[in-house]
Amino acid sequence: SLHSSRWQSLAAAFAIDAHEVTNDDYAAFVATKGAGVEPPYHWGGRTPPAGKERHPVYNVTWHDAVKYCAARGGRLPTEAEWEYAARGGVADLDYPWGNDYTDATPDGTATKRAHSGSSTGPRPVGSFAPNAFGLYDMHGNVWEWCRNEYEDPRQTQPGAESRVLRGGSWDYNPELARAGRGEKARRRLV
């Protein structure tokens, strides 16, 4: 099935943004009176580094990500929702384009379809083609928070010590950018 998360199935329709949150988007939220969040530590201040405004924000806590989503009238996706969205309607493949991280061009040259395994930092949002659902950068670039607890992924309520991250990141092994097989990471919150 398309919602083949080993933990839960999809119970209802959901919405997810087409792009990752940009540094500019997050800076506007940080500047909002009463937001109660801190900018990412690597910014070195309250605004993103020059030239990185259209790059995805990272080093945001789970709690601050929840606040950002709520301020926009949304919420973080569950792990099952994230996986369904990342697959782009394609079941049983590691990535929506197939089982290999790279893709061959017509002349046989290998080309990346996502950004992982690099030391250069994330790429600007939307640098790679979208999946069949029109969603960009679901694989690689930056880790994406999910609502689920890591120890018991069926739980989505506040109070957990660690939460699920999905999608891999620019500085991690491309294997962690896969949509399926439960590839995920854990981040301790306390």
Side-chain angles (χ1 to χ4, degrees), residues 82-83 86-87 93-96 139 166 175-183:
W82 184 93
E83 183 176 321
R87 287 180 177 279
L93 295 175
D94 288 341
Y95 308 97
H139 305 275
R166 291 295 303 264
E175 289 289 305
L176 292 175
R178 297 183 294 187
R181 299 189 188 175
E183 302 296 334

Coordinates of all heavy atoms in Angstrom, one line a residue, residues 82-83 86-87 93-96 139 166 175-183:
W82 N 4.5 11.8 6.5 CA 5.8 12.2 5.8 C 6.2 11.2 4.8 O 6.5 11.5 3.7 CB 6.9 12.4 6.9 CG 8.1 12.9 6.2 CD1 8.5 14.2 6.1 CD2 9.1 12.2 5.5 NE1 9.6 14.3 5.3 CE2 10.0 13.1 4.9 CE3 9.3 10.8 5.2 CZ2 11.1 12.7 4.2 CZ3 10.4 10.4 4.5 CH2 11.3 11.3 4.0
E83 N 6.1 9.9 5.2 CA 6.6 8.8 4.2 C 5.7 8.8 3.0 O 6.2 8.7 1.9 CB 6.6 7.5 4.9 CG 7.1 6.4 4.0 CD 7.2 5.0 4.7 OE1 7.6 5.0 5.8 OE2 6.9 4.0 4.0
A86 N 6.6 11.8 0.9 CA 7.9 11.7 0.3 C 7.9 10.7 -0.9 O 8.6 10.9 -1.8 CB 8.9 11.2 1.4
R87 N 7.1 9.6 -0.8 CA 7.1 8.6 -1.8 C 6.4 9.2 -3.1 O 6.6 8.7 -4.2 CB 6.3 7.4 -1.4 CG 7.1 6.6 -0.4 CD 6.3 5.3 0.0 NE 7.0 4.5 0.9 CZ 7.9 3.6 0.5 NH1 8.2 3.5 -0.8 NH2 8.6 2.8 1.3
L93 N 9.5 1.6 -3.4 CA 10.7 2.0 -3.9 C 11.4 2.9 -2.8 O 10.8 3.5 -2.0 CB 10.6 2.9 -5.2 CG 10.0 2.2 -6.4 CD1 9.8 3.3 -7.5 CD2 10.9 1.1 -6.9
D94 N 12.8 2.9 -2.9 CA 13.5 3.7 -1.9 C 13.3 5.2 -2.1 O 13.3 5.9 -1.1 CB 15.0 3.4 -2.0 CG 15.3 2.0 -1.4 OD1 14.5 1.4 -0.7 OD2 16.4 1.5 -1.8
Y95 N 13.2 5.6 -3.3 CA 13.0 7.0 -3.7 C 11.8 7.0 -4.7 O 11.6 6.0 -5.4 CB 14.2 7.6 -4.3 CG 15.5 7.4 -3.5 CD1 16.3 6.3 -3.7 CD2 15.8 8.2 -2.4 CE1 17.5 6.1 -3.0 CE2 16.9 8.0 -1.6 CZ 17.8 7.0 -1.9 OH 18.9 6.8 -1.2
P96 N 11.2 8.2 -4.9 CA 10.1 8.2 -5.9 C 10.6 7.9 -7.3 O 9.8 7.6 -8.2 CB 9.5 9.6 -5.7 CG 10.2 10.3 -4.6 CD 11.3 9.4 -4.2
H139 N 13.9 14.4 0.1 CA 15.0 13.5 0.3 C 16.3 14.3 0.3 O 16.6 15.0 -0.7 CB 15.0 12.5 -0.9 CG 13.8 11.7 -1.0 ND1 13.5 10.6 -0.3 CD2 12.7 12.0 -1.8 CE1 12.2 10.2 -0.6 NE2 11.7 11.0 -1.5
R166 N 13.0 12.7 9.6 CA 13.0 11.9 8.3 C 13.7 12.7 7.2 O 13.8 13.9 7.2 CB 11.6 11.5 7.9 CG 10.9 10.5 8.9 CD 11.5 9.1 8.9 NE 11.6 8.5 7.6 CZ 10.7 7.6 7.1 NH1 9.6 7.3 7.9 NH2 10.8 7.1 6.0
E175 N 21.9 7.0 2.1 CA 21.0 5.9 2.5 C 19.9 6.4 3.5 O 18.8 5.9 3.5 CB 21.8 4.8 3.2 CG 22.7 4.0 2.2 CD 21.8 3.1 1.3 OE1 21.0 2.3 1.8 OE2 22.0 3.2 0.1
L176 N 20.2 7.4 4.3 CA 19.3 7.9 5.2 C 18.2 8.8 4.6 O 17.3 9.3 5.2 CB 20.0 8.6 6.4 CG 20.8 7.8 7.3 CD1 21.6 8.6 8.3 CD2 19.9 6.7 8.0
A177 N 18.4 9.1 3.3 CA 17.4 10.0 2.6 C 16.3 9.2 2.0 O 15.4 9.7 1.4 CB 18.1 10.8 1.5
R178 N 16.3 7.8 2.1 CA 15.3 7.0 1.5 C 13.9 7.3 2.2 O 13.8 7.5 3.4 CB 15.6 5.5 1.7 CG 16.9 5.2 0.9 CD 17.2 3.7 1.0 NE 17.5 3.3 2.4 CZ 17.9 2.1 2.7 NH1 18.1 1.2 1.8 NH2 18.2 1.9 4.0
A179 N 12.9 7.1 1.4 CA 11.5 7.3 1.9 C 11.1 6.1 2.7 O 10.4 6.2 3.7 CB 10.5 7.5 0.7
G180 N 11.4 4.9 2.3 CA 10.9 3.7 3.0 C 11.9 3.1 3.9 O 12.9 3.6 4.3
R181 N 11.5 1.8 4.2 CA 12.3 1.0 5.1 C 12.6 1.6 6.5 O 13.5 1.3 7.2 CB 13.7 0.7 4.4 CG 13.6 0.0 3.1 CD 14.9 -0.5 2.7 NE 14.7 -1.0 1.3 CZ 15.7 -1.4 0.6 NH1 16.9 -1.4 1.0 NH2 15.5 -1.9 -0.6
G182 N 11.7 2.5 6.9 CA 11.8 3.1 8.2 C 13.1 3.9 8.5 O 13.6 4.0 9.6
E183 N 13.8 4.4 7.4 CA 15.0 5.1 7.6 C 14.7 6.4 8.3 O 14.0 7.3 7.8 CB 15.7 5.4 6.2 CG 16.0 4.2 5.4 CD 17.0 3.3 6.1 OE1 17.8 3.8 6.9 OE2 17.0 2.1 5.8

